[in-house]
PDB file of all heavy atoms in Angstrom:
ATOM      1  N   PHE A 459      32.343  19.499  16.553  1.00  0.00           N
ATOM      2  CA  PHE A 459      31.083  19.714  15.891  1.00  0.00           C
ATOM      3  C   PHE A 459      30.194  20.436  16.915  1.00  0.00           C
ATOM      4  O   PHE A 459      30.152  20.164  18.092  1.00  0.00           O
ATOM      5  CB  PHE A 459      30.453  18.477  15.469  1.00  0.00           C
ATOM      6  CG  PHE A 459      31.284  17.742  14.440  1.00  0.00           C
ATOM      7  CD1 PHE A 459      32.241  16.803  14.744  1.00  0.00           C
ATOM      8  CD2 PHE A 459      31.025  18.009  13.064  1.00  0.00           C
ATOM      9  CE1 PHE A 459      32.898  16.072  13.821  1.00  0.00           C
ATOM     10  CE2 PHE A 459      31.716  17.277  12.062  1.00  0.00           C
ATOM     11  CZ  PHE A 459      32.770  16.346  12.415  1.00  0.00           C
ATOM     12  N   ILE A 460      29.368  21.476  16.406  1.00  0.00           N
ATOM     13  CA  ILE A 460      28.522  22.108  17.303  1.00  0.00           C
ATOM     14  C   ILE A 460      27.220  21.068  17.659  1.00  0.00           C
ATOM     15  O   ILE A 460      26.534  20.744  16.777  1.00  0.00           O
ATOM     16  CB  ILE A 460      27.897  23.343  16.632  1.00  0.00           C
ATOM     17  CG1 ILE A 460      29.039  24.300  16.373  1.00  0.00           C
ATOM     18  CG2 ILE A 460      26.903  24.038  17.571  1.00  0.00           C
ATOM     19  CD1 ILE A 460      29.802  24.868  17.473  1.00  0.00           C
ATOM     20  N   ARG A 461      27.197  20.838  18.919  1.00  0.00           N
ATOM     21  CA  ARG A 461      25.990  19.856  19.255  1.00  0.00           C
ATOM     22  C   ARG A 461      24.747  20.531  19.630  1.00  0.00           C
ATOM     23  O   ARG A 461      23.664  20.083  19.421  1.00  0.00           O
ATOM     24  CB  ARG A 461      26.662  19.064  20.477  1.00  0.00           C
ATOM     25  CG  ARG A 461      25.733  17.964  20.959  1.00  0.00           C
ATOM     26  CD  ARG A 461      26.442  16.972  21.761  1.00  0.00           C
ATOM     27  NE  ARG A 461      25.568  15.903  22.260  1.00  0.00           N
ATOM     28  CZ  ARG A 461      25.163  15.796  23.412  1.00  0.00           C
ATOM     29  NH1 ARG A 461      25.248  16.826  24.379  1.00  0.00           N
ATOM     30  NH2 ARG A 461      24.364  14.755  23.808  1.00  0.00           N
ATOM     31  N   ASN A 462      24.892  21.636  20.451  1.00  0.00           N
ATOM     32  CA  ASN A 462      23.627  22.353  20.939  1.00  0.00           C
ATOM     33  C   ASN A 462      24.119  23.837  21.076  1.00  0.00           C
ATOM     34  O   ASN A 462      25.190  24.129  21.606  1.00  0.00           O
ATOM     35  CB  ASN A 462      23.059  21.713  22.109  1.00  0.00           C
ATOM     36  CG  ASN A 462      21.723  22.173  22.396  1.00  0.00           C
ATOM     37  OD1 ASN A 462      21.094  22.732  21.591  1.00  0.00           O
ATOM     38  ND2 ASN A 462      21.280  21.855  23.584  1.00  0.00           N
ATOM     39  N   ILE A 463      23.116  24.673  20.886  1.00  0.00           N
ATOM     40  CA  ILE A 463      23.387  26.139  21.177  1.00  0.00           C
ATOM     41  C   ILE A 463      22.241  26.737  21.936  1.00  0.00           C
ATOM     42  O   ILE A 463      21.054  26.534  21.633  1.00  0.00           O
ATOM     43  CB  ILE A 463      23.408  26.954  19.859  1.00  0.00           C
ATOM     44  CG1 ILE A 463      24.569  26.392  18.882  1.00  0.00           C
ATOM     45  CG2 ILE A 463      23.681  28.372  20.139  1.00  0.00           C
ATOM     46  CD1 ILE A 463      24.550  27.034  17.516  1.00  0.00           C
ATOM     47  N   GLN A 464      22.511  27.271  23.214  1.00  0.00           N
ATOM     48  CA  GLN A 464      21.569  27.874  24.097  1.00  0.00           C
ATOM     49  C   GLN A 464      21.997  29.246  24.334  1.00  0.00           C
ATOM     50  O   GLN A 464      23.215  29.625  24.020  1.00  0.00           O
ATOM     51  CB  GLN A 464      21.342  27.048  25.299  1.00  0.00           C
ATOM     52  CG  GLN A 464      20.873  25.581  25.095  1.00  0.00           C
ATOM     53  CD  GLN A 464      20.639  24.811  26.368  1.00  0.00           C
ATOM     54  OE1 GLN A 464      21.107  25.216  27.413  1.00  0.00           O
ATOM     55  NE2 GLN A 464      20.025  23.619  26.179  1.00  0.00           N
ATOM     56  N   ASP A 465      21.163  29.997  24.981  1.00  0.00           N
ATOM     57  CA  ASP A 465      21.441  31.397  25.287  1.00  0.00           C
ATOM     58  C   ASP A 465      22.670  31.497  26.218  1.00  0.00           C
ATOM     59  O   ASP A 465      23.477  32.460  26.036  1.00  0.00           O
ATOM     60  CB  ASP A 465      20.218  32.011  25.958  1.00  0.00           C
ATOM     61  CG  ASP A 465      19.013  32.099  25.049  1.00  0.00           C
ATOM     62  OD1 ASP A 465      19.293  32.158  23.861  1.00  0.00           O
ATOM     63  OD2 ASP A 465      17.873  32.211  25.529  1.00  0.00           O
ATOM     64  N   ASP A 466      22.837  30.667  27.132  1.00  0.00           N
ATOM     65  CA  ASP A 466      23.896  30.782  28.146  1.00  0.00           C
ATOM     66  C   ASP A 466      25.173  29.862  27.910  1.00  0.00           C
ATOM     67  O   ASP A 466      26.103  30.046  28.590  1.00  0.00           O
ATOM     68  CB  ASP A 466      23.309  30.432  29.554  1.00  0.00           C
ATOM     69  CG  ASP A 466      22.746  28.981  29.637  1.00  0.00           C
ATOM     70  OD1 ASP A 466      22.377  28.503  28.566  1.00  0.00           O
ATOM     71  OD2 ASP A 466      22.644  28.496  30.792  1.00  0.00           O
TER      72      ASP A 466
END
Side-chain angles (χ1 to χ4, degrees):
F459 297 90
I460 302 298
R461 186 166 182 258
N462 196 14
I463 304 173
Q464 297 181 351
D465 295 335
D466 58 340

